[in-house]
Amino acid sequence: MQKIYSGFNVRNTCLPVLLACFLQLVLTDAAQAEQQRPFGLNSTKRLEQKRQRIAKTLKVADARFTTHRLAASTISRPLTSTEYEPEGTGWRQTSTFSYTYDNMGRITEEAGQNSQGTNTYKYTLSYSQEGHNTGFVYYRWEGGNWVIQYGYQTTITYDSNGRLSEVTESEWEEGTWKLSWRTTLTYNSSGDLTEVTDYSREGTAWEADGNTTYTYTAPNTAPTAIIYSETNEAGTMEPYEHITNIVWREFTAGDINSYFNEEDWWTSAIEQEWVDGNWVNESKWTATFGENDSYVGIDQEWKNGAWVNNWRYTKTLDAHGNVLLNQDEEWENGAWDIQYGSKTRYTFNASNQVTEMIEEMWNDQASRYEPMLRIVYSNFQTITSASKEVAALLTEAYPNPTADNITVRFAQSATQATLTVTDLTGKTVLTKQLKPTTTQQELDLANIPSGLYLLQLHTGDAVATRKIIKQ
């Protein structure tokens, strides 16, 4: 349910911790990843894994560095940081880090060194033309060389209407990339998502593990019920979980993110399990949302014909989307007892850049929050990105879809501007240099194959993008 992830703990150089972070979402705090779930019951872990896999592809933001937009066309990013851990009443330096970004301000590499200046680890990230995460590789410094420890490569497929239809992932295993999992998405004639099917790789074939089906009362509305099924020993799909009585906090018809993004979850819902041919109440989720997408969610379980408190999840965010409090409590002896918690404090400079982050973790034995991690960010650089002004220039592209020509209109003329049309592999199929006085341009697409393309307006280092469909 979080909107932006803090991601500070990914600097832990323990490989399992780092992998847990990235299996949740790109740069998600591993501890948060383990605890954040709409329902506290084990049966939903499979659902969470599915949502995490697709969500990590759809989400690319690293919220450590997404809060510092200096102007409409520039983004501020730190090139270096220093990490500290508690020592007595002070802090002891443990590591330093350097960062590399693309021209959209997305992180493409993070490299770490210990306090003696020796390389420890690094990871790299790659993105598609649409900004979706398509790769992650984690390296350790061994024998004077960077050695891959873990990685994934994602292939994203869209249908003729530009909708996400398949996500396939390969993982780094025994020195080579091996296919690991595959997810397909099916839509009805109204464009509503109706089914998501998950596959695992068995030898040279894909085997279905389970699927999710969505039910609607009317086209282009939020789903009213969701059923999760898994493949049984006979090789057929068998339902195991039913989500009903859903009240969506937010839902945008036609936007695939609404099904998988944490922030577009439910205000309330009931989870049922399949028992002896019937759906039986299992848990109930109720959330109260506040300022900056903060929320308090209560998970109740069905006992003896009544709903009984089970878990309470609290998340507090600042105006930038940074997580200030993430706390899980279990209902014990008529009261809420903290089982996990983290508090984070941020320091901003005059340019609204995060220069320091201090995280405290809940110590259950001492019953208090105690300092755990301090990171100081430095050496900020300004990156020119697609600004609101540039995006506003590209006001219209019609007809869309088109069988031959498409007309592009601009709110005003732009100097040194170029129009390009690229396919989803990044191949440029058409380029048109615009005259300084141009406010309208016709493009001939008759000779390019049918499919989804990206129409991009380039002005200097900034880019504005529109999807177009060639019939």
Side-chain angles (χ1 to χ4, degrees), residues 16 18 25 54 72 93 178 270 280 308 370 390-391 407 426 456:
L18 187 67
L25 280 182
I54 299 179
Q93 179 181 331
K178 294 183 179 180
I270 292 176
V280 178
V308 179
E370 297 180 344
V390 173
T407 300
Q456 295 184 317

Side-chain angles (χ1 to χ4, degrees), residues 224-284:
T224 54
I226 304 173
I227 293 178
Y228 303 99
S229 303
E230 60 186 353
T231 304
N232 58 23
E233 293 182 357
T236 60
M237 289 293 176
E238 182 177 337
Y240 66 88
E241 187 174 288
H242 179 218
I243 309 298
T244 185
N245 293 70
I246 305 173
V247 177
W248 291 81
R249 175 174 171 249
E250 292 181 22
F251 187 87
T252 303
D255 182 5
I256 192 65
N257 295 279
S258 290
Y259 295 89
F260 302 106
N261 279 0
E262 292 281 351
E263 68 266 28
D264 293 328
W265 206 238
W266 311 311
T267 299
S268 61
I270 292 176
E271 176 187 9
Q272 299 175 324
E273 62 177 338
W274 188 251
V275 179
D276 298 328
N278 295 291
W279 290 115
V280 178
N281 287 340
E282 185 176 10
S283 65
K284 180 181 180 181

Side-chain angles (χ1 to χ4, degrees), residues 390-402:
V390 173
L393 285 177
L394 187 56
T395 58
E396 196 172 8
Y398 64 92
N400 188 17
T402 181

Side-chain angles (χ1 to χ4, degrees), residues 68-83:
H68 330 307
R69 190 172 295 274
L70 299 180
S73 60
T74 59
I75 304 171
S76 175
R77 297 288 188 261
L79 294 178
T80 54
S81 70
T82 305
E83 182 176 305

Side-chain angles (χ1 to χ4, degrees), residues 172-178:
W172 183 260
E173 187 177 320
E174 298 177 347
T176 187
W177 293 105
K178 294 183 179 180

Side-chain angles (χ1 to χ4, degrees), residues 387-449:
S387 67
K388 294 181 179 179
E389 284 81 357
V390 173
L393 285 177
L394 187 56
T395 58
E396 196 172 8
Y398 64 92
N400 188 17
T402 181
D404 41 45
N405 295 337
I406 189 168
T407 300
V408 184
R409 295 182 61 184
F410 313 101
Q412 63 187 59
S413 60
T415 59
Q416 296 180 335
T418 304
L419 277 176
T420 63
V421 177
T422 62
D423 63 20
L424 296 184
T425 68
K427 178 183 177 181
T428 300
V429 298
L430 187 149
T431 300
K432 183 69 175 181
Q433 186 72 38
L434 301 179
K435 296 179 180 179
T437 58
T438 300
T439 58
Q440 180 171 306
Q441 179 67 52
E442 186 174 276
L443 301 177
D444 183 2
L445 306 181
N447 295 323
I448 69 173

